[in-house]
Amino acid sequence: MTVVRMNQTTNQPHSENFAPCVIPRKLAQEDEPDLLRQFVSGTVIPPVLWLHEVSSDPNRGIEAPLNATTLRTKRLLDLVGAITGLVLLCPVMLATAIAIKISSPGEMIFSQQRVGLNRRKRNHPNRRKSSFRQQGIPGRRAAERRQECTYGRPFTLYKFRTMVCDAEKNGPQFATQGDPRVTTLGRFMRKTRLDELPQLWNVLRGDMSLVGPRPERPHFIKELSDQVPNYLDRLQLKPGLTGVAQVVNGYDNNIDSFKRKVAYDLLYLRNCCLVNDLKILARTVSVVLSGKGAM
């Protein structure tokens, strides 16, 4: 075990009270910059000893894309897992939908825009700053191309509704522990993760993967990317139903928690492989049965 005192990143305010970053000795590479360690400056994350180490390259999956074999294998696992899950869990999903309809007014399925994969190169020229725009000539269909979400590919995520219908009448907000907007049935669904089952359809469609970083809402991306260094690097992989962060960190929604989540996401990105995906899925079953980390 190595205790590393982190240097400040340009996106992080100066402070002398940062806690040391605790990482496995095998990840400590003093002779090269490590994006993971730079990110977790001031954040203590327990080492994930059960995670199989694939690479010590801090840029794997970020500057150095994952190879085609890894991506194809991951997609094959997604298809097999999603189809199997939808078939086997169809009675459970039907019963859950009926229970929602009976217990509270509103739709059974809740849909929401989330931000997905973003593999745009960091140094890719910005089309909005082209010579036409510099000359004051409006770009072709500029208004049509302008979107609220520009950080990654937006997609519609599906969940079983766990909150009252007017949960966001005062605007978008994170769920909190003991959130009064959550229905009685919704608390049970969140604890058992039943509300996540419709996302198997997102996995089948290719919007998501079984394993990966949790997809965030466009409304919160700007705030989080400003406050959490290297936050957008996690978008180099499809968002997932589960992942290292979901298994180890749970679902708390505060800045410190988001820092830990992204550290775990970057750790997974560095070590993304079939073996680790199977390990994460197996541990997810344990988390679901125990209700650990639910809100």
Side-chain angles (χ1 to χ4, degrees):
M1 183 71 67
T2 300
V3 178
V4 183
R5 181 70 178 181
M6 300 307 302
N7 295 326
Q8 301 296 322
T9 61
T10 56
N11 293 333
Q12 191 170 29
H14 177 75
S15 172
E16 294 298 329
N17 299 320
F18 283 148
C21 167
V22 181
I23 60 176
R25 179 177 296 278
K26 63 182 180 180
L27 293 182
Q29 303 282 339
E30 298 297 339
D31 58 342
E32 65 180 356
D34 188 325
L35 291 181
L36 174 62
R37 286 184 292 150
Q38 288 178 11
F39 164 75
V40 293
S41 175
T43 303
V44 177
I45 58 169
V48 187
L49 299 178
W50 50 266
L51 200 67
H52 174 66
E53 182 180 10
V54 174
S55 173
S56 60
D57 180 5
N59 291 316
R60 183 177 187 261
I62 302 175
E63 296 293 345
L66 299 178
N67 61 55
T69 300
T70 299
L71 294 176
R72 281 196 291 264
T73 303
K74 189 172 180 62
R75 181 56 183 157
L76 179 60
L77 177 63
D78 290 343
L79 290 173
V80 172
I83 293 172
T84 303
L86 287 170
V87 171
L88 296 181
L89 296 172
C90 182
V92 176
M93 296 175 68
L94 179 60
T96 302
I98 294 174
I100 295 171
K101 192 66 175 178
I102 294 174
S103 62
S104 63
E107 299 295 330
M108 296 175 292
I109 299 293
F110 175 74
S111 62
Q112 193 176 69
Q113 189 183 64
R114 297 291 177 101
V115 177
L117 184 67
N118 180 3
R119 287 188 181 146
R120 289 175 293 183
K121 295 182 179 179
R122 292 168 179 263
N123 299 322
H124 193 278
N126 189 339
R127 295 170 62 186
R128 288 176 294 182
K129 295 182 180 180
S130 63
S131 58
F132 292 99
R133 183 63 55 85
Q134 293 172 355
Q135 296 173 22
I137 302 174
R140 181 175 61 88
R141 295 182 181 177
E144 288 81 356
R145 290 198 307 266
R146 190 178 298 113
Q147 299 181 15
E148 178 185 359
C149 172
T150 58
Y151 295 96
R153 186 172 68 87
F155 70 96
T156 301
L157 177 141
Y158 299 99
K159 299 178 68 173
F160 283 125
R161 180 176 57 82
T162 60
M163 292 187 176
V164 295
C165 292
D166 59 349
E168 294 196 330
K169 60 183 178 182
N170 297 322
Q173 53 187 292
F174 289 123
T176 58
Q177 195 70 37
D179 199 315
R181 300 173 299 162
V182 179
T183 64
T184 301
L185 177 61
R187 295 191 191 284
F188 173 76
M189 288 193 293
R190 284 171 174 258
K191 185 175 182 179
T192 56
R193 305 302 200 277
L194 286 174
D195 61 316
E196 309 279 1
L197 291 182
Q199 290 169 49
L200 288 170
W201 175 246
N202 287 115
V203 175
L204 188 62
R205 282 168 48 90
D207 299 324
M208 296 176 61
S209 178
L210 288 176
V211 181
R214 283 298 296 166
E216 193 49 76
R217 299 171 62 180
H219 179 84
F220 299 118
I221 289 287
K222 177 64 167 63
E223 176 184 356
L224 291 171
S225 60
D226 286 344
Q227 297 187 50
V228 181
N230 299 324
Y231 179 84
L232 296 179
D233 287 340
R234 68 197 292 274
L235 300 181
Q236 298 300 312
L237 199 62
K238 281 184 183 179
L241 261 172
T242 186
V244 177
Q246 295 91 301
V247 169
V248 179
N249 193 70
Y251 287 95
D252 289 339
N253 286 328
N254 56 59
I255 291 301
D256 287 339
S257 176
F258 275 112
K259 288 182 179 181
R260 292 192 299 272
K261 288 177 185 178
V262 179
Y264 286 126
D265 289 339
L266 297 184
L267 182 63
Y268 169 71
L269 186 57
R270 175 187 294 182
N271 297 291
C272 177
C273 67
L274 177 62
V275 171
N276 281 332
D277 279 8
L278 294 175
K279 285 184 176 182
I280 292 168
L281 290 171
R283 287 178 178 268
T284 299
V285 175
S286 176
V287 170
V288 169
L289 293 177
S290 67
K292 178 184 176 182
M295 285 197 301

mmCIF file of all heavy atoms in Angstrom, residues 40-79:
data_model
loop_
_atom_site.group_PDB
_atom_site.id
_atom_site.type_symbol
_atom_site.label_atom_id
_atom_site.label_comp_id
_atom_site.label_asym_id
_atom_site.label_seq_id
_atom_site.Cartn_x
_atom_site.Cartn_y
_atom_site.Cartn_z
ATOM 1 N N VAL A 40 -7.860 12.130 -8.060
ATOM 2 C CA VAL A 40 -8.295 11.909 -6.688
ATOM 3 C C VAL A 40 -7.497 12.728 -5.691
ATOM 4 O O VAL A 40 -7.380 12.382 -4.534
ATOM 5 C CB VAL A 40 -8.240 10.412 -6.301
ATOM 6 C CG1 VAL A 40 -9.241 9.624 -7.081
ATOM 7 C CG2 VAL A 40 -6.851 9.844 -6.480
ATOM 8 N N SER A 41 -6.916 13.826 -6.155
ATOM 9 C CA SER A 41 -6.214 14.726 -5.257
ATOM 10 C C SER A 41 -7.148 15.137 -4.128
ATOM 11 O O SER A 41 -8.198 15.717 -4.343
ATOM 12 C CB SER A 41 -5.752 15.968 -6.023
ATOM 13 O OG SER A 41 -5.180 16.908 -5.156
ATOM 14 N N GLY A 42 -6.767 14.804 -2.903
ATOM 15 C CA GLY A 42 -7.589 15.148 -1.765
ATOM 16 C C GLY A 42 -8.713 14.175 -1.506
ATOM 17 O O GLY A 42 -9.546 14.402 -0.650
ATOM 18 N N THR A 43 -8.771 13.071 -2.251
ATOM 19 C CA THR A 43 -9.852 12.105 -2.084
ATOM 20 C C THR A 43 -9.278 10.753 -1.688
ATOM 21 O O THR A 43 -8.384 10.242 -2.348
ATOM 22 C CB THR A 43 -10.654 11.959 -3.396
ATOM 23 O OG1 THR A 43 -11.146 13.230 -3.772
ATOM 24 C CG2 THR A 43 -11.800 10.988 -3.213
ATOM 25 N N VAL A 44 -9.770 10.186 -0.632
ATOM 26 C CA VAL A 44 -9.304 8.865 -0.194
ATOM 27 C C VAL A 44 -10.217 7.795 -0.783
ATOM 28 O O VAL A 44 -11.415 7.794 -0.536
ATOM 29 C CB VAL A 44 -9.304 8.756 1.344
ATOM 30 C CG1 VAL A 44 -8.894 7.352 1.781
ATOM 31 C CG2 VAL A 44 -8.365 9.790 1.941
ATOM 32 N N ILE A 45 -9.661 6.899 -1.580
ATOM 33 C CA ILE A 45 -10.443 5.786 -2.133
ATOM 34 C C ILE A 45 -9.792 4.482 -1.713
ATOM 35 O O ILE A 45 -8.597 4.286 -1.893
ATOM 36 C CB ILE A 45 -10.570 5.853 -3.663
ATOM 37 C CG1 ILE A 45 -9.201 5.858 -4.340
ATOM 38 C CG2 ILE A 45 -11.359 7.062 -4.104
ATOM 39 C CD1 ILE A 45 -9.265 5.659 -5.833
ATOM 40 N N PRO A 46 -10.548 3.573 -1.136
ATOM 41 C CA PRO A 46 -9.980 2.274 -0.767
ATOM 42 C C PRO A 46 -9.555 1.516 -2.017
ATOM 43 O O PRO A 46 -10.211 1.603 -3.053
ATOM 44 C CB PRO A 46 -11.146 1.561 -0.069
ATOM 45 C CG PRO A 46 -12.112 2.645 0.279
ATOM 46 C CD PRO A 46 -11.949 3.695 -0.761
ATOM 47 N N PRO A 47 -8.458 0.781 -1.968
ATOM 48 C CA PRO A 47 -8.032 0.003 -3.136
ATOM 49 C C PRO A 47 -9.038 -1.101 -3.452
ATOM 50 O O PRO A 47 -9.596 -1.720 -2.545
ATOM 51 C CB PRO A 47 -6.686 -0.589 -2.698
ATOM 52 C CG PRO A 47 -6.744 -0.598 -1.209
ATOM 53 C CD PRO A 47 -7.555 0.608 -0.822
ATOM 54 N N VAL A 48 -9.301 -1.320 -4.715
ATOM 55 C CA VAL A 48 -10.213 -2.379 -5.143
ATOM 56 C C VAL A 48 -9.361 -3.611 -5.452
ATOM 57 O O VAL A 48 -8.988 -3.865 -6.599
ATOM 58 C CB VAL A 48 -11.035 -1.934 -6.374
ATOM 59 C CG1 VAL A 48 -12.095 -2.985 -6.708
ATOM 60 C CG2 VAL A 48 -11.687 -0.590 -6.125
ATOM 61 N N LEU A 49 -9.063 -4.374 -4.411
ATOM 62 C CA LEU A 49 -8.095 -5.468 -4.532
ATOM 63 C C LEU A 49 -8.605 -6.607 -5.406
ATOM 64 O O LEU A 49 -7.802 -7.372 -5.955
ATOM 65 C CB LEU A 49 -7.741 -5.993 -3.137
ATOM 66 C CG LEU A 49 -7.090 -4.962 -2.192
ATOM 67 C CD1 LEU A 49 -6.835 -5.588 -0.829
ATOM 68 C CD2 LEU A 49 -5.798 -4.427 -2.795
ATOM 69 N N TRP A 50 -9.943 -6.754 -5.523
ATOM 70 C CA TRP A 50 -10.480 -7.858 -6.317
ATOM 71 C C TRP A 50 -10.510 -7.549 -7.809
ATOM 72 O O TRP A 50 -10.774 -8.432 -8.628
ATOM 73 C CB TRP A 50 -11.887 -8.214 -5.852
ATOM 74 C CG TRP A 50 -12.822 -7.045 -5.736
ATOM 75 C CD1 TRP A 50 -13.091 -6.315 -4.619
ATOM 76 C CD2 TRP A 50 -13.628 -6.472 -6.791
ATOM 77 N NE1 TRP A 50 -14.009 -5.320 -4.897
ATOM 78 C CE2 TRP A 50 -14.357 -5.403 -6.216
ATOM 79 C CE3 TRP A 50 -13.806 -6.771 -8.136
ATOM 80 C CZ2 TRP A 50 -15.238 -4.624 -6.953
ATOM 81 C CZ3 TRP A 50 -14.687 -5.992 -8.881
ATOM 82 C CH2 TRP A 50 -15.396 -4.933 -8.288
ATOM 83 N N LEU A 51 -10.196 -6.303 -8.185
ATOM 84 C CA LEU A 51 -10.226 -5.919 -9.595
ATOM 85 C C LEU A 51 -8.944 -6.387 -10.281
ATOM 86 O O LEU A 51 -7.834 -6.083 -9.827
ATOM 87 C CB LEU A 51 -10.368 -4.401 -9.713
ATOM 88 C CG LEU A 51 -10.894 -3.856 -11.044
ATOM 89 C CD1 LEU A 51 -12.346 -4.272 -11.243
ATOM 90 C CD2 LEU A 51 -10.779 -2.336 -11.081
ATOM 91 N N HIS A 52 -9.097 -7.148 -11.345
ATOM 92 C CA HIS A 52 -7.942 -7.646 -12.100
ATOM 93 C C HIS A 52 -7.261 -6.498 -12.839
ATOM 94 O O HIS A 52 -7.907 -5.733 -13.547
ATOM 95 C CB HIS A 52 -8.408 -8.706 -13.112
ATOM 96 C CG HIS A 52 -7.337 -9.171 -14.040
ATOM 97 N ND1 HIS A 52 -6.227 -9.875 -13.619
ATOM 98 C CD2 HIS A 52 -7.197 -9.016 -15.393
ATOM 99 C CE1 HIS A 52 -5.460 -10.140 -14.660
ATOM 100 N NE2 HIS A 52 -6.031 -9.638 -15.744
ATOM 101 N N GLU A 53 -5.935 -6.378 -12.643
ATOM 102 C CA GLU A 53 -5.203 -5.291 -13.291
ATOM 103 C C GLU A 53 -4.897 -5.655 -14.742
ATOM 104 O O GLU A 53 -4.230 -6.655 -15.023
ATOM 105 C CB GLU A 53 -3.894 -4.981 -12.556
ATOM 106 C CG GLU A 53 -3.151 -3.814 -13.187
ATOM 107 C CD GLU A 53 -1.844 -3.492 -12.474
ATOM 108 O OE1 GLU A 53 -1.426 -4.288 -11.611
ATOM 109 O OE2 GLU A 53 -1.246 -2.470 -12.805
ATOM 110 N N VAL A 54 -5.374 -4.840 -15.658
ATOM 111 C CA VAL A 54 -5.158 -5.068 -17.088
ATOM 112 C C VAL A 54 -4.002 -4.245 -17.605
ATOM 113 O O VAL A 54 -3.183 -4.706 -18.394
ATOM 114 C CB VAL A 54 -6.440 -4.734 -17.882
ATOM 115 C CG1 VAL A 54 -6.187 -4.830 -19.384
ATOM 116 C CG2 VAL A 54 -7.576 -5.649 -17.477
ATOM 117 N N SER A 55 -3.921 -2.997 -17.144
ATOM 118 C CA SER A 55 -2.906 -2.086 -17.653
ATOM 119 C C SER A 55 -2.498 -1.098 -16.566
ATOM 120 O O SER A 55 -3.294 -0.743 -15.701
ATOM 121 C CB SER A 55 -3.454 -1.335 -18.874
ATOM 122 O OG SER A 55 -2.569 -0.325 -19.296
ATOM 123 N N SER A 56 -1.249 -0.645 -16.639
ATOM 124 C CA SER A 56 -0.777 0.412 -15.750
ATOM 125 C C SER A 56 -0.732 1.745 -16.480
ATOM 126 O O SER A 56 -0.291 2.746 -15.922
ATOM 127 C CB SER A 56 0.618 0.056 -15.212
ATOM 128 O OG SER A 56 1.537 -0.082 -16.293
ATOM 129 N N ASP A 57 -1.205 1.740 -17.742
ATOM 130 C CA ASP A 57 -1.215 2.961 -18.548
ATOM 131 C C ASP A 57 -2.339 3.871 -18.080
ATOM 132 O O ASP A 57 -3.520 3.513 -18.217
ATOM 133 C CB ASP A 57 -1.405 2.606 -20.026
ATOM 134 C CG ASP A 57 -1.415 3.840 -20.924
ATOM 135 O OD1 ASP A 57 -1.181 4.958 -20.414
ATOM 136 O OD2 ASP A 57 -1.671 3.683 -22.137
ATOM 137 N N PRO A 58 -2.019 5.063 -17.531
ATOM 138 C CA PRO A 58 -3.064 5.957 -17.030
ATOM 139 C C PRO A 58 -3.959 6.519 -18.125
ATOM 140 O O PRO A 58 -5.025 7.044 -17.843
ATOM 141 C CB PRO A 58 -2.275 7.070 -16.336
ATOM 142 C CG PRO A 58 -0.953 7.077 -17.033
ATOM 143 C CD PRO A 58 -0.670 5.636 -17.357
ATOM 144 N N ASN A 59 -3.534 6.383 -19.395
ATOM 145 C CA ASN A 59 -4.315 6.922 -20.503
ATOM 146 C C ASN A 59 -5.143 5.860 -21.217
ATOM 147 O O ASN A 59 -5.808 6.165 -22.205
ATOM 148 C CB ASN A 59 -3.389 7.607 -21.517
ATOM 149 C CG ASN A 59 -2.783 8.876 -20.965
ATOM 150 O OD1 ASN A 59 -3.472 9.685 -20.347
ATOM 151 N ND2 ASN A 59 -1.486 9.051 -21.168
ATOM 152 N N ARG A 60 -5.112 4.622 -20.733
ATOM 153 C CA ARG A 60 -5.887 3.572 -21.399
ATOM 154 C C ARG A 60 -7.372 3.912 -21.363
ATOM 155 O O ARG A 60 -7.950 4.170 -20.322
ATOM 156 C CB ARG A 60 -5.675 2.226 -20.722
ATOM 157 C CG ARG A 60 -6.421 1.083 -21.426
ATOM 158 C CD ARG A 60 -6.132 -0.254 -20.757
ATOM 159 N NE ARG A 60 -6.701 -1.362 -21.518
ATOM 160 C CZ ARG A 60 -7.859 -1.960 -21.232
ATOM 161 N NH1 ARG A 60 -8.572 -1.559 -20.185
ATOM 162 N NH2 ARG A 60 -8.303 -2.960 -21.968
ATOM 163 N N GLY A 61 -7.975 3.921 -22.541
ATOM 164 C CA GLY A 61 -9.388 4.238 -22.655
ATOM 165 C C GLY A 61 -9.657 5.729 -22.761
ATOM 166 O O GLY A 61 -10.784 6.126 -23.074
ATOM 167 N N ILE A 62 -8.652 6.557 -22.507
ATOM 168 C CA ILE A 62 -8.845 8.011 -22.589
ATOM 169 C C ILE A 62 -8.101 8.545 -23.797
ATOM 170 O O ILE A 62 -8.701 8.843 -24.821
ATOM 171 C CB ILE A 62 -8.363 8.693 -21.284
ATOM 172 C CG1 ILE A 62 -9.124 8.130 -20.086
ATOM 173 C CG2 ILE A 62 -8.558 10.209 -21.374
ATOM 174 C CD1 ILE A 62 -8.651 8.641 -18.761
ATOM 175 N N GLU A 63 -6.763 8.651 -23.719
ATOM 176 C CA GLU A 63 -5.982 9.030 -24.888
ATOM 177 C C GLU A 63 -5.716 7.815 -25.770
ATOM 178 O O GLU A 63 -5.580 7.935 -26.976
ATOM 179 C CB GLU A 63 -4.655 9.656 -24.438
ATOM 180 C CG GLU A 63 -4.797 10.963 -23.664
ATOM 181 C CD GLU A 63 -5.322 12.090 -24.517
ATOM 182 O OE1 GLU A 63 -5.306 11.955 -25.766
ATOM 183 O OE2 GLU A 63 -5.756 13.106 -23.955
ATOM 184 N N ALA A 64 -5.600 6.642 -25.121
ATOM 185 C CA ALA A 64 -5.375 5.399 -25.852
ATOM 186 C C ALA A 64 -6.667 4.586 -25.843
ATOM 187 O O ALA A 64 -7.006 3.984 -24.829
ATOM 188 C CB ALA A 64 -4.239 4.606 -25.204
ATOM 189 N N PRO A 65 -7.438 4.577 -26.934
ATOM 190 C CA PRO A 65 -8.742 3.893 -26.952
ATOM 191 C C PRO A 65 -8.613 2.401 -26.665
ATOM 192 O O PRO A 65 -7.586 1.782 -26.927
ATOM 193 C CB PRO A 65 -9.244 4.145 -28.383
ATOM 194 C CG PRO A 65 -8.450 5.314 -28.888
ATOM 195 C CD PRO A 65 -7.125 5.213 -28.213
ATOM 196 N N LEU A 66 -9.688 1.826 -26.130
ATOM 197 C CA LEU A 66 -9.728 0.381 -25.916
ATOM 198 C C LEU A 66 -9.707 -0.327 -27.266
ATOM 199 O O LEU A 66 -10.261 0.174 -28.250
ATOM 200 C CB LEU A 66 -10.998 0.003 -25.148
ATOM 201 C CG LEU A 66 -11.165 0.616 -23.756
ATOM 202 C CD1 LEU A 66 -12.497 0.177 -23.153
ATOM 203 C CD2 LEU A 66 -10.017 0.217 -22.842
ATOM 204 N N ASN A 67 -9.078 -1.485 -27.315
ATOM 205 C CA ASN A 67 -8.971 -2.171 -28.601
ATOM 206 C C ASN A 67 -10.313 -2.741 -29.033
ATOM 207 O O ASN A 67 -11.236 -2.901 -28.222
ATOM 208 C CB ASN A 67 -7.889 -3.270 -28.549
ATOM 209 C CG ASN A 67 -8.191 -4.335 -27.512
ATOM 210 O OD1 ASN A 67 -9.268 -4.935 -27.533
ATOM 211 N ND2 ASN A 67 -7.250 -4.587 -26.618
ATOM 212 N N ALA A 68 -10.411 -3.060 -30.309
ATOM 213 C CA ALA A 68 -11.670 -3.506 -30.900
ATOM 214 C C ALA A 68 -12.150 -4.823 -30.284
ATOM 215 O O ALA A 68 -13.356 -5.032 -30.109
ATOM 216 C CB ALA A 68 -11.513 -3.659 -32.413
ATOM 217 N N THR A 69 -11.214 -5.709 -29.941
ATOM 218 C CA THR A 69 -11.595 -6.997 -29.352
ATOM 219 C C THR A 69 -12.287 -6.793 -28.014
ATOM 220 O O THR A 69 -13.312 -7.431 -27.723
ATOM 221 C CB THR A 69 -10.357 -7.885 -29.162
ATOM 222 O OG1 THR A 69 -9.734 -8.108 -30.438
ATOM 223 C CG2 THR A 69 -10.746 -9.216 -28.543
ATOM 224 N N THR A 70 -11.754 -5.902 -27.181
ATOM 225 C CA THR A 70 -12.364 -5.609 -25.879
ATOM 226 C C THR A 70 -13.765 -5.058 -26.045
ATOM 227 O O THR A 70 -14.700 -5.467 -25.349
ATOM 228 C CB THR A 70 -11.501 -4.615 -25.091
ATOM 229 O OG1 THR A 70 -10.210 -5.181 -24.855
ATOM 230 C CG2 THR A 70 -12.149 -4.263 -23.757
ATOM 231 N N LEU A 71 -13.933 -4.142 -26.991
ATOM 232 C CA LEU A 71 -15.239 -3.517 -27.206
ATOM 233 C C LEU A 71 -16.253 -4.513 -27.771
ATOM 234 O O LEU A 71 -17.422 -4.514 -27.369
ATOM 235 C CB LEU A 71 -15.093 -2.323 -28.149
ATOM 236 C CG LEU A 71 -14.281 -1.135 -27.604
ATOM 237 C CD1 LEU A 71 -14.129 -0.059 -28.667
ATOM 238 C CD2 LEU A 71 -14.946 -0.547 -26.363
ATOM 239 N N ARG A 72 -15.797 -5.383 -28.690
ATOM 240 C CA ARG A 72 -16.712 -6.384 -29.258
ATOM 241 C C ARG A 72 -17.129 -7.404 -28.202
ATOM 242 O O ARG A 72 -18.300 -7.807 -28.137
ATOM 243 C CB ARG A 72 -16.057 -7.071 -30.457
ATOM 244 C CG ARG A 72 -16.101 -6.266 -31.743
ATOM 245 C CD ARG A 72 -15.798 -7.139 -32.936
ATOM 246 N NE ARG A 72 -14.409 -7.571 -32.931
ATOM 247 C CZ ARG A 72 -13.424 -6.977 -33.595
ATOM 248 N NH1 ARG A 72 -13.696 -5.893 -34.311
ATOM 249 N NH2 ARG A 72 -12.195 -7.449 -33.563
ATOM 250 N N THR A 73 -16.173 -7.822 -27.383
ATOM 251 C CA THR A 73 -16.490 -8.771 -26.315
ATOM 252 C C THR A 73 -17.468 -8.161 -25.320
ATOM 253 O O THR A 73 -18.411 -8.818 -24.865
ATOM 254 C CB THR A 73 -15.207 -9.194 -25.583
ATOM 255 O OG1 THR A 73 -14.283 -9.752 -26.518
ATOM 256 C CG2 THR A 73 -15.516 -10.214 -24.503
ATOM 257 N N LYS A 74 -17.252 -6.909 -25.006
ATOM 258 C CA LYS A 74 -18.135 -6.209 -24.072
ATOM 259 C C LYS A 74 -19.543 -6.099 -24.648
ATOM 260 O O LYS A 74 -20.534 -6.301 -23.937
ATOM 261 C CB LYS A 74 -17.566 -4.819 -23.775
ATOM 262 C CG LYS A 74 -18.274 -4.072 -22.653
ATOM 263 C CD LYS A 74 -17.506 -2.803 -22.305
ATOM 264 C CE LYS A 74 -18.198 -2.045 -21.192
ATOM 265 N NZ LYS A 74 -18.268 -2.837 -19.937
ATOM 266 N N ARG A 75 -19.651 -5.797 -25.922
ATOM 267 C CA ARG A 75 -20.962 -5.685 -26.558
ATOM 268 C C ARG A 75 -21.663 -7.031 -26.613
ATOM 269 O O ARG A 75 -22.886 -7.128 -26.420
ATOM 270 C CB ARG A 75 -20.813 -5.100 -27.971
ATOM 271 C CG ARG A 75 -22.128 -4.906 -28.715
ATOM 272 C CD ARG A 75 -23.086 -4.046 -27.934
ATOM 273 N NE ARG A 75 -24.386 -3.911 -28.606
ATOM 274 C CZ ARG A 75 -25.507 -3.608 -27.977
ATOM 275 N NH1 ARG A 75 -25.507 -3.398 -26.668
ATOM 276 N NH2 ARG A 75 -26.640 -3.491 -28.640
ATOM 277 N N LEU A 76 -20.908 -8.105 -26.864
ATOM 278 C CA LEU A 76 -21.499 -9.452 -26.891
ATOM 279 C C LEU A 76 -22.062 -9.806 -25.516
ATOM 280 O O LEU A 76 -23.171 -10.344 -25.406
ATOM 281 C CB LEU A 76 -20.446 -10.475 -27.313
ATOM 282 C CG LEU A 76 -20.907 -11.933 -27.376
ATOM 283 C CD1 LEU A 76 -22.041 -12.093 -28.376
ATOM 284 C CD2 LEU A 76 -19.737 -12.846 -27.739
ATOM 285 N N LEU A 77 -21.312 -9.481 -24.462
ATOM 286 C CA LEU A 77 -21.801 -9.727 -23.104
ATOM 287 C C LEU A 77 -23.064 -8.922 -22.834
ATOM 288 O O LEU A 77 -24.006 -9.417 -22.205
ATOM 289 C CB LEU A 77 -20.715 -9.363 -22.085
ATOM 290 C CG LEU A 77 -21.107 -9.494 -20.605
ATOM 291 C CD1 LEU A 77 -21.425 -10.942 -20.259
ATOM 292 C CD2 LEU A 77 -19.988 -8.955 -19.714
ATOM 293 N N ASP A 78 -23.097 -7.683 -23.332
ATOM 294 C CA ASP A 78 -24.280 -6.838 -23.144
ATOM 295 C C ASP A 78 -25.510 -7.457 -23.808
ATOM 296 O O ASP A 78 -26.600 -7.490 -23.214
ATOM 297 C CB ASP A 78 -24.032 -5.441 -23.740
ATOM 298 C CG ASP A 78 -23.035 -4.632 -22.945
ATOM 299 O OD1 ASP A 78 -22.773 -4.990 -21.783
ATOM 300 O OD2 ASP A 78 -22.505 -3.640 -23.483
ATOM 301 N N LEU A 79 -25.357 -7.936 -25.028
ATOM 302 C CA LEU A 79 -26.490 -8.509 -25.762
ATOM 303 C C LEU A 79 -27.003 -9.778 -25.081
ATOM 304 O O LEU A 79 -28.213 -9.942 -24.880
ATOM 305 C CB LEU A 79 -26.076 -8.811 -27.203
ATOM 306 C CG LEU A 79 -25.831 -7.602 -28.108
ATOM 307 C CD1 LEU A 79 -25.266 -8.045 -29.455
ATOM 308 C CD2 LEU A 79 -27.124 -6.811 -28.305
#
